[in-house]
Amino acid sequence: MLLAVLIANSEGNILVERFNGVPAEERLHWRSFLVKLGADNLKGVKNEELLVASHKSVFIVYTVLGDVSIFVVGKDEYDELALAEAIFVITSALKDVCGKPPTERLFLDKYGKICLCLDEIVWKGLLENTDKERIKRLVRLKPPTEF
């Protein structure tokens, strides 16, 4: 199961988080742990260079894209390789939505569409959509049509 997808800015402030199957009382622990992990290890890392960690029986893959850090946490069948695929899809979607690796301002300008993309990529703790074109189609923001 994909336990969490978390995106933070370079100061460690969380911009987006999605938890699946993580009790509310454990979420604060995960937030602080992931932000500290990023602060300790992401300095000087190139865009989309993947870093891997494990904590208890859980795997974490994380990276930097522009001014944001992306963390994906999984357990069981979502080992490092599955999480690497998930983070690749997420970074690809972010670059498509923003047109380039995002600054924090650009990320916040495109926040709504980014959240839609994340919802299409990860659904109830499962990696749902990995095809770039399908994700684009699913999140296309069109006004509702007449019934």
Side-chain angles (χ1 to χ4, degrees), residues 13 19 56 77 112 114 129:
N13 299 314
F19 285 102
K56 300 180 182 174
E77 71 274 13
I114 289 169
N129 291 304

Side-chain angles (χ1 to χ4, degrees), residues 57-119:
S57 62
V58 171
F59 298 102
I60 304 155
V61 175
Y62 56 111
T63 190
V64 171
L65 183 66
D67 290 348
V68 298
S69 307
I70 304 165
F71 302 86
V72 182
V73 181
K75 68 175 185 178
D76 300 332
E77 71 274 13
Y78 286 95
D79 61 1
E80 304 99 316
L81 294 174
L83 293 177
E85 181 183 352
I87 208 165
F88 173 75
V89 174
I90 292 167
T91 56
S92 178
L94 282 177
K95 287 190 294 188
D96 282 351
V97 169
C98 296
K100 60 181 181 177
T103 61
E104 183 179 354
R105 179 181 177 93
L106 181 57
F107 183 93
L108 293 174
D109 286 344
K110 304 286 186 176
Y111 183 81
K113 199 151 190 178
I114 289 169
C115 287
L116 284 173
C117 285
L118 286 176
D119 291 343

